[in-house]
Amino acid sequence: MIQAILVFNNHGKPRLVRFYQRFPEEIQQQIVRETFHLVLKRDDNICNFLEGGSLIGGSDYKLIYRHYATLYFVFCVDSSESELGILDLIQVFVETLDKCFENVCELDLIFHMDKLLLLNSPLSSLETVVSSLHGGEGSVTRVKDLYCCRSQRTESCTGKEVHYILQEVVMGGMVLETNMNEIVAQIEAQNRLEKSEGGLSAAPARAVSAVKNINLPEIPRNINIGDLNIKVPNLSQFV
Amino acid sequence: MALKMVKGSIDRMFDKNLQDLVRGIRNHKEDEAKYISQCIDEIKQELKQDNIAVKANAVCKLTYLQMLGYDISWAAFNIIEVMSASKFTFKRIGYLAASQSFHEGTDVIMLTTNQIRKDLSSPSQYDTGVALTGLSCFVTPDLARDLANDIMTLMSHTKPYIRKKAVLIMYKVFLKYPESLRPAFPRLKEKLEDPDPGVQSAAVNVICELARRNPKNYLSLAPLFFKLMTSSTNNWVLIKIIKLFGALTPLEPRLGKKLIEPLTNLIHSTSAMSLLYECVNTVIAVLISLSSGMPNHSASIQLCVQKLRILIEDSDQNLKYLGLLAMSKILKTHPKSVQSHKDLILQCLDDKDESIRLRALDLLYGMVSKKNLMEIVKKLMTHVDKAEGTTYRDELLTKIIDICSQSNYQYITNFEWYISILVELTRLEGTRHGHLIAAQMLDVAIRVKAIRKFAVSQMSALLDSAHLLASSTQRNGICEVLYAAAWICGEFSEHLQEPHHTLEAMLRPRVTTLPGHIQAVYVQNVVKLYASILQQKEQAGEAEGAQAVTQLMVDRLPQFVQSADLEVQERASCILQLVKHIQKLQAKDVPVAEEVSALFAGELNPVAPKAQKKVPVPEGLDLDAWINEPLSDSESEDERPRAVFHEEEQRRPKHRPSEADEEELARRREARKQEQANNPFYIKSSPSPQKRYQDTPGVEHIPVVQIDLSVPLKVPGLPMSDQYVKLEEERRHRQKLEKDKRRKKRKEKEKKGKRRHSSLPTESDEDIAPAQQVDIVTEEMPENALPSDEDDKDPNDPYRALDIDLDKPLADSEKLPIQKHRNTETSKSPEKDVPMVEKKSKKPKKKEKKHKEKERDKEKKKEKEKKAEDLDFWLSTTPPPAPAPAPAPVPSTDECEDAKTEAQGEEDDAEGQDQDKKSPKPKKKKHRKEKEERTKGKKKSKKQPPGSEEAAGEPVQNGAPEEEQLPPESSYSLLAENSYVKMTCDIRGSLQEDSQVTVAIVLENRSSSILKGMELSVLDSLNARMARPQGSSVHDGVPVPFQLPPGVSNEAQYVFTIQSIVMAQKLKGTLSFIAKNDEGATHEKLDFRLHFSCSSYLITTPCYSDAFAKLLESGDLSMSSIKVDGIRMSFQNLLAKICFHHHFSVVERVDSCASMYSRSIQGHHVCLLVKKGENSVSVDGKCSDSTLLSNLLEEMKATLAKC
């Protein structure tokens, strides 16, 4: 069983927190912090396994992580999972992210680090992507400038989508699917369905978000028009 | 209405979406908390609006905030609202938020039951999928119970996407509602052979997870998994299966034998490291379970160790880590084969990676011997000095102690060395393991008598430098060591060189800064020390010296009397009074030393930690019985049965009253010696008296006792453990020489006497004699201790509930409220033939042994034949390289005829059962319902009783609870039957694809032959067509995807496309199959008629009353009505019948009047108003298609007429 999946950046900012066992929010944050400190200390060229110990659930559990540029992907698993298997799974997950957001150019950068160096923008990273998936613009603007035109599309991606992808890979702490093509197919089908419904941020909202960026002063939020609830008669009328 | 809409969209314009929120948080790095609290206020406003899009947006933002650590449980109800949105976009957001924030304590979670059920049965596979995913994260026992059946139905959904999710979630359901495991298990097992690899993998996953906790219940699946292992190419599945076998082999060694060959083959052939590694792991598990020593197995061990060595030597740190991990498993049973790689492991100790060092440390545990212990510990000690980071250092510390103390200090030859190691360890700063060191010191000092003198000298030095240990500002755990030091110095004060000095050290004012429990020990041991000093002084006749000591005590003890710690205070004031009394006596020149030291006479023996628990209750003693009837609660505390503790008191002579005069003491001592002599647990001095401590001259040269007080900066006078290593070598060398001499002499003698079985002169572990008289007293256990080891089990283990025997046929009471055919399926499944391996495996083993003994010299063939009688045929006979097919029982020709007649008998039985079933089952149902209704009354929630018949019966509970029995019904109706096969079918509509219905046909083999090559051919009509695989023509039959062994039933699903659904129709079809038995194979046919009623085109769709009202208001529905007389059934059951047979759901119910709703697969709305009169029922219907309505009402009339 997978007990938790954590994604955070080099500064310990959580990018995705998914527990399959109930912990109160404070404890969750504490676990993220402690995990971050544990992982941070480790060089990139040492092994990817960590005995979590007291962190979650005791000695049966292990932390298995991978570090991509500025992002850490940490899985906390018990002894029923194969260590190398989970490492592969993380790879699958990251590559799926890559595939699902292929219009997001930054991800390409991670998989082509050599080109990246040529561009002399060492800060570019997956983090940019995932944080932009969360809706923000990455802290790194240089990369954004380079790929300005394309990254505008990232606006359509939001943080929940990373969760949705994860949900197709792991369900309730158990591995659901490891075939990347299958995962991508399901994600795309669901996105199409969402699109056909108009999505959450339909056209008007987007127009407005542009306006908002001008930093208007406080706008009266409650225009009280009174209670206009029209009571719908409860009993059906036949005959 | 319009205004409101406008208001909504204006508000929306200024709403932040998630992107804005994230951006905002970024821009407010300074005052993030403030900004977020402002955002939460906004979100609260948004949640108050009626626009679902706004709400969803708000919930979406909350989910993000939850990730940042904000509690969003206050929005649980809003999350549920968003979950119940009709649009997938919103629903998904809602479920995501729920999966992140809901848990068993969320009180509104019970409101989700109906919503989830609705989504589970949703026509869109993604609605269902999203609900399953969400549910997997927050399933509670209530949800699990209520939804188990719905999920089980989904396990045979047409879409593999849903099937795999449903299979996975079953594990969570089992955990929360263990009763569901047995009813659901047959279907789960079926999914192991699902055509879709994803579903298969999910099923393997779930069963592995189950089997890991309670492996013995899953042994019977071994053949199936074995088949999967040899056939599957999916590495994920293979890994899981191989891991599962690792858990199963300890229970069934024969399984291990069978596994070894395919596994070694895999090890040789696979290129995937993950698979290779798991194979090695399981081979190790197999080898552990097998009795070692077989020649061919040592080859496998060698293979494993070899492969692991390759892993460890790999440059990939991950492989190195795993190699070490697996190596430690081999170590337990085959330490020799690992020890040869000692070089490699010691090398790993120097690795830069902490995880790897830790694993290497684990391995060291098994590598030590008497010979190399000192050397290894020395190495570790240098690591301790080098280690940065307290965690690793602490780990090293515990490992050193573990290694040294393992199996009763087996490998320690020189305890002085060990004590000095412990003392060195106390110099570690900031370790958490002070108590561990302390415990070791106490243990060694108590159990190794010969070391006490040395230990005491070391401890007094420690006490003297206590300020070094306790002074560091942060109260670290190391001061725990002082606890041990004080106790040892006090208890064994007779060994102290300068007791007076130690006494002063213990009475320093600084001591009061120590933790309370340590001070308490100080106080107590100060008196012990005092007593022994008094005795010394009095014996020496120094009356003044004695009085001076007393004065010192009187002066210093008050500082403890003032302690805030109750224990310290109490002990100190008690002792102060005692000392003052002694002072008075001393002033009168009365000798007191004898009496004072009598307070602490006698010796303490180590008592095993479990000893108290293991004291057997004497016969006739009822510990729960009152000795005196309790008068009041407060008094009962004092009435403890004393007798139980009597024995213990005896073993703690400390509490002995001081009046005991010497004679009495001597007598008791004598008695104890006697007792010890008779006690098998009490180990006397080692049988090598020539190697007594006193006889080893080397040790005496160690400058241990000279304590240099003038150098306070370094812990004074403590010997470095390193010195011992050299000394020890010298000592051993000397010993060896001596021995060799002796041996030579003996040899000479032997030569004379011509005896020739002396051992070879190699230096084995046993030859190294310990430096001290190793008088390890084993811990005492009470006499007649019960040899039970059950105290290790944790009664709170959640997986214990899943320890359920799955091979036992289902009892009536266990069934989930599910449709009938599954029950017959399970009771007739071939698993009945598979023996309960647990019980039966024992006998065969004995048999085997006997066989081996008797017939070892005879032909091996015979043995095999006899074994074949075994029901565990699969395990024993089949040679590993060629896995035989599952052992289908092959009846002989004689049996065949019997079987036929039996089959007919069964047929009759089956019919009888069908009728019977109505009578016994309802009672249970009713029972269950009653219960549920009662609980419902308490909770005042709108939970539904499980069971698809009542799937939509929610509002029914609004009415008065009518506790009348509901006849259980199956939606499966008989299609056709003959002596070979019985076909039942159920037609379900699906909204996923327009105008399609799924026909689930259950085929039950009631003959004794195997049914193969089954094909279904259906004559299409203009209106209805069967969906066939691409490329096959209309006249081709569609194959049934399974074979049926005798007595087995299985379900096949076919999809039909319907053009017009307003009329019922029938399709003719034929099932052709080959029935094969021993006499040969025959072609058989069975004709049937598929009846598509109009009701079968309807899909149970819940509807809210306001939407229902709107629908009716729209006025474009045509109307029709019927009336049926002579109905005596209760209204509730009537509604349930309509719901069940015609796929309606109750919208609302008032007294004996109810509105109902359903939808057709083509989107027609059907509304009903059902009214019950005295003896009649009238049904008014409205529908967007009048023909459909009238046909439906006709069908309903037929149903109602039967009531």
Side-chain angles (χ1 to χ4, degrees), chain A residues 48 51 155 186 197 208 212, chain B residues 13 15 19 89 318 359:
Chain A
N48 300 93
E51 270 124 87
E155 261 196 70
Q186 296 298 349
E197 287 178 349
V208 170
K212 263 181 294 183
Chain B
M13 279 179 57
D15 285 344
Q19 271 140 303
T89 317
N318 291 332
R359 289 279 71 82

Side-chain angles (χ1 to χ4, degrees), chain B residues 872-895:
Chain B
D872 305 31
F873 167 89
W874 178 79
L875 285 168
S876 43
T877 45
T878 353
V890 187
S892 67
T893 33
D894 294 1
E895 283 169 349

Side-chain angles (χ1 to χ4, degrees), chain B residues 139-348:
Chain B
V139 60
T140 62
D142 281 344
L143 282 176
R145 192 195 56 232
D146 294 347
L147 296 171
N149 190 42
D150 301 63
I151 298 170
M152 215 163 104
T153 324
L154 290 178
M155 278 166 78
S156 29
H157 198 271
T158 47
K159 300 268 170 149
Y161 179 74
I162 299 301
R163 283 209 301 274
K164 71 182 175 194
K165 287 198 168 192
V167 169
L168 270 193
I169 204 180
M170 278 318 276
Y171 179 64
K172 296 275 175 166
V173 173
F174 296 151
L175 277 184
K176 300 287 177 189
Y177 178 52
E179 289 88 333
S180 61
L181 177 57
R182 277 169 51 74
F185 194 71
R187 181 161 298 199
L188 184 62
K189 211 171 72 186
E190 217 175 276
K191 293 295 147 199
L192 284 175
E193 295 179 292
D194 196 278
D196 184 85
V199 182
Q200 201 183 40
S201 147
V204 170
N205 214 335
V206 170
I207 292 184
C208 287
E209 206 59 54
L210 287 169
R212 200 165 72 94
R213 308 293 183 180
N214 302 296
K216 67 174 193 308
N217 302 334
Y218 299 87
L219 263 179
S220 60
L221 290 180
L224 189 55
F225 275 112
F226 192 83
K227 204 176 96 194
L228 278 177
M229 183 177 85
T230 43
S231 61
S232 177
T233 51
N234 180 344
N235 277 355
W236 270 95
V237 172
L238 278 176
I239 288 175
K240 280 280 169 195
I241 293 175
I242 288 169
K243 269 188 165 278
L244 172 69
F245 277 134
L248 291 182
T249 41
L251 303 171
E252 180 51 270
R254 283 176 298 165
L255 177 63
K257 275 185 202 157
K258 205 174 164 65
L259 282 171
I260 269 206
E261 186 143 341
L263 284 179
T264 36
N265 287 345
L266 263 177
I267 290 178
H268 284 302
S269 65
T270 185
S271 59
M273 271 300 175
S274 45
L275 188 57
L276 171 90
Y277 172 68
E278 295 307 337
C279 286
V280 169
N281 252 336
T282 300
V283 170
I284 293 170
V286 167
L287 293 174
I288 290 172
S289 73
L290 290 176
S291 53
S292 55
M294 293 174 163
N296 50 334
H297 291 140
S298 72
S300 324
I301 277 277
Q302 279 314 313
L303 176 71
C304 288
V305 176
Q306 243 172 47
K307 286 280 172 189
L308 290 180
R309 187 171 177 114
I310 293 172
L311 289 185
I312 296 173
E313 281 172 338
D314 199 288
S315 61
D316 184 345
Q317 296 279 317
N318 291 332
L319 298 182
K320 187 174 275 192
Y321 171 88
L322 292 177
L324 291 169
L325 194 63
M327 205 64 121
S328 65
K329 285 178 196 154
I330 302 187
L331 187 69
K332 281 171 205 145
T333 48
H334 302 81
K336 287 255 163 64
S337 32
V338 182
Q339 269 160 8
S340 56
H341 299 281
K342 200 177 121 197
D343 55 320
L344 195 63
I345 287 150
L346 286 178
Q347 201 182 313
C348 288

Side-chain angles (χ1 to χ4, degrees), chain A residues 1 13-20 22 25 28-29 42 45-51 60 62 78-89 127 131 134-139 154-160 163-164 167-168 171-178 182 185-187 189-191 193-194 197 199-202 205 208-209 212-213 218-219 221-223 225 228-230 232-239, chain B residues 1 3-4 7 10-20 22-23 26 32 38 42 45 50 53 56-57 60 64 66-72 87-90 92-93 96 99-101 103 124 126 132-133 136-137 161 164-165 168-169 171-172 198 205-206 209 212-213 236 239-240 243 273-274 277-278 317-319 321-322 325 352-356 359 1105-1106 1108-1109 1112-1113 1148 1150 1155 1167-1169 1180 1182:
Chain A
M1 287 276 282
K13 283 255 180 258
R15 292 293 172 223
L16 178 130
V17 177
R18 171 80 271 191
F19 283 88
Y20 294 104
R22 168 67 190 166
E25 274 77 11
Q28 289 188 4
Q29 291 302 307
R42 300 173 64 82
N45 55 354
I46 61 178
C47 80
N48 300 93
F49 311 118
L50 253 177
E51 270 124 87
D60 196 32
K62 262 198 199 94
D78 67 14
S79 58
S80 73
E81 300 292 340
S82 147
E83 290 88 349
L84 293 173
I86 292 292
L87 275 182
D88 287 348
L89 187 74
E127 200 230 327
S131 67
H134 277 303
E137 290 153 18
S139 57
T154 56
E155 261 196 70
S156 60
C157 318
T158 45
K160 50 193 189 330
H163 268 293
Y164 296 153
Q167 282 176 354
E168 296 301 324
M171 183 177 132
M174 283 185 286
V175 179
L176 180 66
E177 184 61 67
T178 52
E182 171 73 15
Q186 296 298 349
I187 290 288
Q190 292 181 49
N191 287 346
L193 180 60
E194 205 164 77
E197 287 178 349
L200 179 62
S201 49
V208 170
S209 78
K212 263 181 294 183
N213 288 345
E218 274 287 309
I219 294 156
R221 194 146 290 280
N222 290 322
I223 309 169
I225 317 185
L228 288 174
N229 264 340
I230 299 161
V232 183
N234 263 344
L235 260 184
S236 52
Q237 285 160 354
F238 272 85
V239 191
Chain B
M1 214 40 194
L3 250 177
K4 198 174 157 198
K7 178 200 165 204
I10 289 177
D11 253 12
R12 250 200 104 183
M13 279 179 57
F14 299 106
D15 285 344
K16 287 193 186 76
N17 61 18
L18 181 58
Q19 271 140 303
D20 302 323
V22 174
R23 206 174 293 147
R26 253 175 209 289
E32 194 181 291
Q38 194 185 325
E42 285 167 17
Q45 290 303 320
D50 284 339
N57 183 41
C60 185
Y64 182 80
Q66 194 269 344
M67 184 186 76
L68 297 181
Y70 291 85
D71 177 30
I72 61 164
K87 272 193 183 179
F88 174 70
T89 317
F90 303 143
R92 208 179 181 194
I93 291 171
L96 175 63
S99 72
Q100 290 285 73
S101 66
H103 53 94
S124 155
Y126 292 115
L132 283 173
T133 310
S136 73
C137 294
Y161 179 74
K164 71 182 175 194
K165 287 198 168 192
L168 270 193
I169 204 180
Y171 179 64
K172 296 275 175 166
N205 214 335
V206 170
E209 206 59 54
R212 200 165 72 94
R213 308 293 183 180
W236 270 95
I239 288 175
K240 280 280 169 195
K243 269 188 165 278
M273 271 300 175
S274 45
Y277 172 68
E278 295 307 337
Q317 296 279 317
N318 291 332
L319 298 182
Y321 171 88
L322 292 177
L325 194 63
K352 57 185 183 300
D353 188 343
E354 194 178 297
S355 298
I356 287 179
R359 289 279 71 82
S1105 52
D1106 47 348
F1108 190 71
L1112 290 171
E1113 273 169 20
E1148 207 153 349
V1150 179
S1155 51
C1167 308
L1168 295 182
L1169 181 69
D1180 299 309
K1182 281 193 172 185

Side-chain angles (χ1 to χ4, degrees), chain A residues 31-85:
Chain A
I31 290 173
V32 172
R33 265 198 308 277
E34 281 179 27
T35 313
F36 168 65
H37 286 299
L38 278 179
V39 172
L40 186 70
K41 286 191 292 206
R42 300 173 64 82
D43 288 341
D44 272 353
N45 55 354
I46 61 178
C47 80
N48 300 93
F49 311 118
L50 253 177
E51 270 124 87
S54 55
L55 214 58
I56 303 177
S59 61
D60 196 32
Y61 292 93
K62 262 198 199 94
L63 297 176
I64 298 174
Y65 74 98
R66 267 181 189 276
H67 188 199
Y68 292 93
T70 65
L71 267 196
Y72 287 97
F73 288 75
V74 186
F75 280 47
C76 175
V77 303
D78 67 14
S79 58
S80 73
E81 300 292 340
S82 147
E83 290 88 349
L84 293 173

Side-chain angles (χ1 to χ4, degrees), chain B residues 462 464-472 478 510 712-716:
Chain B
L462 262 186
D464 204 41
S465 58
H467 55 282
L468 287 182
L469 299 176
S471 64
S472 48
I478 204 66
R510 200 189 281 274
L713 277 178
K714 204 176 167 248
V715 178

Side-chain angles (χ1 to χ4, degrees), chain B residues 1122-1142:
Chain B
I1122 52 163
K1123 190 170 180 185
V1124 185
D1125 287 324
I1127 290 182
R1128 253 157 276 118
M1129 193 183 243
S1130 80
F1131 191 53
Q1132 168 138 0
N1133 291 358
L1134 209 66
L1135 291 181
K1137 259 197 153 34
I1138 296 175
C1139 287
F1140 182 64
H1141 288 291
H1142 302 284

